[in-house]
Amino acid sequence: MAIDSSASNGSKGKSSGSSGSPASGTRRARRVRMTGAERREQLLDIGRTLFAERGYEGTSVEEIAAKAGVSKPVVYEHFGGKEGLYAVVVDREMRQLLDMVTGALTAGHPRELLEQAAFALLDYIETFTDGFRILVRDSPVAQSTGTFASLISDIATQVEDILGLEFKARGFDPKLAPLYAQALVGMVALTGQWWVDARKPKKAEVAAHLVNLAWHGLGNLEPKPRLIGHRKN
Amino acid sequence: MAIDSSASNGSKGKSSGSSGSPASGTRRARRVRMTGAERREQLLDIGRTLFAERGYEGTSVEEIAAKAGVSKPVVYEHFGGKEGLYAVVVDREMRQLLDMVTGALTAGHPRELLEQAAFALLDYIETFTDGFRILVRDSPVAQSTGTFASLISDIATQVEDILGLEFKARGFDPKLAPLYAQALVGMVALTGQWWVDARKPKKAEVAAHLVNLAWHGLGNLEPKPRLIGHRKN
DNA sequence: TGCCATACTTACGAGACCGTAGGTTACGGT
DNA sequence: ACCGTAACCTACGGTCTCGTAAGTATGGCA
């Protein structure tokens, strides 16, 4: 419950490294038996992958353990069970996504905020695809919190606040802010979900077009939208 | 494989009706033993409800049978198994939704099309909430077809065609049509998902605002958007 | 070198669930 | 009143999975 370094060593099977600078403290690199923390991270990694591709119920503890090269009780030792592991995986992903999006929603002009948030979400999706897949799927445990819908709503709430202010300043009904917030977030989220598979335009371009649509509308689309902040990747 | 009447008698448990005009042909109303078709419809109804709230893997055949007041083999008799029943449920829902949306995408002006499609989706969500929940969840069987993503893509493809023409006429790159189509569909779909729970503004109003956003953009929002076609419910 | 904590294993109990074999009851026509 | 068919049931085999009990190896440290 304390470790939070996103180390994520991608070792699978039992192949051992060749040489190596000592990774942590006085420990040697080549070994089968891991530190508690190392094993924990490895299990989280594997769990995330499997949960992403098979869902919660479709993944068995034995499978996770096997892929990590250990036996079931190890998993129970670390996380108390399947739900425990799943909870940690989901929690970390939600944190990650929320941090990225929230971080993007701090600058100034609403249009910039929109642009940054859209880009941030796409960035998260690209970087943590498995996590995104897990969040999109339905969480069996913890209906109230932990759902993707609740996460989306969480983000939407932040957008709401921004929109609410803007609406007030422009004389619109602020009660409609949630609706528009939801629509905007939904637009970006589902576009992201689509973009996960068909990565046709580049991330920045997708973001630019999303902003274009959201800001100008179909009636006044710009032919060649550009992001204000210049991003490369 | 032939019945398609959406009768959906909501009988649960074993309580028998009181009086009653004969429902079909010469049969009496009060009876425990149903016709094959009746039982089939009932099982589909119950299955849809349970799948909607617990997901595919979270629902057991025994549970479905129990809720219908019969035993497992009846389910196997009708649908050959859990997957069979699920497949029929999903198929019907996809058909329903696709019909409604496709039907809404036949008129003339793009803006009208957008308006009608948005309304159609909201209408489907309101009327067949359970079905929508099932479609939104992930289908375990049949990865290629049957997924919500594929359905969304299916709808998005139709929107693509419309947008593609419009883009060409306006001198935009038609290759971007998929992106904008996905964004629009995503906007409406996730707003609908949100609206399922918090039914705050009325359906028509939501549709009007969605059209407002999609058409004018945040930069040129109309204060009081109205639907062109006047709908009541 | 021997000890001891930590990492890890084998083996198993308990329960859930799918799917089926074979038998039973009610309904409708004759 | 009888009989066949369609609807339905009890009971069970087999598989899968979670979770636990009890025992084994490994590696640092006195």
Side-chain angles (χ1 to χ4, degrees):
Chain A
M1 283 296 209
I3 298 103
D4 217 10
S5 68
S6 52
S8 86
N9 51 354
S11 73
K12 51 179 150 181
K14 293 183 180 178
S15 64
S16 56
S18 50
S19 69
S21 46
S24 59
T26 50
R27 292 217 172 62
R28 291 279 173 66
R30 175 174 349 172
R31 59 190 283 157
V32 180
R33 183 169 281 202
M34 286 182 178
T35 300
E38 286 172 338
R39 186 64 78 190
R40 184 186 167 90
E41 294 307 314
Q42 187 207 16
L43 288 173
L44 282 172
D45 257 25
I46 293 172
R48 185 178 23 215
T49 305
L50 286 178
F51 286 140
E53 69 185 25
R54 300 207 219 295
Y56 178 78
E57 317 222 39
T59 307
S60 74
V61 175
E62 213 146 355
E63 197 175 2
I64 296 171
K67 210 159 192 175
V70 292
S71 60
K72 270 187 300 176
V74 174
V75 177
Y76 285 86
E77 198 67 28
H78 278 290
F79 303 98
K82 195 180 176 181
E83 286 197 6
L85 194 152
Y86 185 80
V88 176
V89 168
V90 167
D91 182 80
R92 283 199 185 179
E93 288 307 317
M94 288 189 57
R95 263 197 149 48
Q96 181 75 42
L97 172 53
L98 219 53
D99 279 1
M100 289 174 71
V101 172
T102 301
L105 285 175
T106 49
H109 190 284
R111 180 171 168 176
E112 270 183 284
L113 294 180
L114 173 61
E115 172 180 320
Q116 287 164 348
F119 189 85
L121 191 93
L122 289 173
D123 200 27
Y124 168 79
I125 292 175
E126 182 179 51
T127 314
F128 308 96
T129 307
D130 281 349
F132 182 68
R133 288 229 159 88
I134 291 177
L135 292 182
V136 166
R137 274 192 140 111
D138 57 327
S139 334
V141 205
Q143 287 182 353
S144 61
T145 178
T147 320
F148 182 61
S150 87
L151 178 68
I152 287 292
S153 284
D154 212 341
I155 294 179
T157 302
Q158 298 183 48
V159 180
E160 263 174 59
D161 298 340
I162 299 169
L163 279 185
L165 291 177
E166 191 68 11
F167 275 23
K168 246 180 205 159
R170 289 213 248 159
F172 294 138
D173 186 0
K175 275 186 188 149
L176 292 170
L179 201 168
Y180 284 89
Q182 194 70 35
L184 288 173
V185 174
M187 185 186 87
V188 181
L190 257 187
T191 303
Q193 213 168 336
W194 159 80
W195 182 75
V196 163
D197 295 326
R199 314 215 170 187
K200 288 199 323 201
K202 279 194 299 182
K203 200 176 13 169
E205 199 178 342
V206 173
H209 284 293
L210 286 178
V211 174
N212 191 21
L213 174 56
W215 199 259
H216 297 119
L218 286 176
N220 307 300
L221 281 182
E222 284 187 355
K224 287 254 172 205
R226 290 256 148 237
L227 291 181
I228 296 174
H230 351 226
R231 309 173 195 278
K232 304 109 196 234
N233 48 354
Chain B
M1 285 294 208
I3 297 102
D4 217 11
S5 69
S6 52
S8 84
N9 51 353
S11 72
K12 53 179 149 181
K14 292 184 178 179
S15 65
S16 57
S18 52
S19 69
S21 47
S24 60
T26 51
R27 293 215 174 64
R28 290 281 174 64
R30 170 162 8 158
R31 60 188 284 157
V32 181
R33 183 169 282 202
M34 287 183 178
T35 299
E38 286 172 339
R39 187 64 77 191
R40 184 186 167 91
E41 293 308 312
Q42 187 207 15
L43 289 173
L44 282 173
D45 256 25
I46 294 173
R48 182 176 346 150
T49 305
L50 287 178
F51 285 140
E53 70 185 26
R54 299 207 218 295
Y56 177 78
E57 316 221 41
T59 306
S60 75
V61 174
E62 214 148 356
E63 198 176 1
I64 296 171
K67 209 158 193 176
V70 292
S71 59
K72 269 186 302 177
V74 174
V75 177
Y76 285 87
E77 198 67 28
H78 279 289
F79 303 98
K82 195 180 177 181
E83 286 198 7
L85 194 151
Y86 186 80
V88 175
V89 168
V90 167
D91 182 81
R92 283 200 185 179
E93 290 306 317
M94 289 189 57
R95 264 202 148 48
Q96 182 74 42
L97 172 53
L98 221 53
D99 278 1
M100 289 173 71
V101 173
T102 301
L105 285 175
T106 49
H109 191 283
R111 180 172 167 174
E112 270 184 283
L113 294 181
L114 173 62
E115 173 180 320
Q116 288 164 347
F119 189 85
L121 191 93
L122 290 174
D123 198 29
Y124 167 79
I125 293 176
E126 182 178 51
T127 314
F128 307 96
T129 307
D130 281 350
F132 182 68
R133 288 227 160 88
I134 291 178
L135 292 183
V136 166
R137 275 192 139 110
D138 57 327
S139 332
V141 205
Q143 285 183 353
S144 61
T145 179
T147 320
F148 182 61
S150 85
L151 178 68
I152 287 292
S153 285
D154 212 340
I155 294 178
T157 303
Q158 298 184 46
V159 180
E160 263 174 58
D161 298 340
I162 299 169
L163 279 185
L165 290 178
E166 191 69 11
F167 275 23
K168 247 180 205 158
R170 288 212 250 161
F172 294 136
D173 186 0
K175 273 184 189 152
L176 293 170
L179 201 167
Y180 283 90
Q182 194 70 34
L184 287 173
V185 174
M187 185 185 86
V188 181
L190 257 188
T191 304
Q193 214 167 337
W194 159 80
W195 182 75
V196 163
D197 295 325
R199 315 216 171 187
K200 289 201 319 203
K202 280 194 300 183
K203 199 175 18 171
E205 200 178 341
V206 173
H209 284 293
L210 286 178
V211 173
N212 191 20
L213 174 56
W215 200 259
H216 298 119
L218 286 176
N220 306 300
L221 281 182
E222 284 188 355
K224 287 258 172 201
R226 291 254 149 237
L227 290 182
I228 296 175
H230 351 224
R231 309 171 197 281
K232 304 111 196 231
N233 47 354

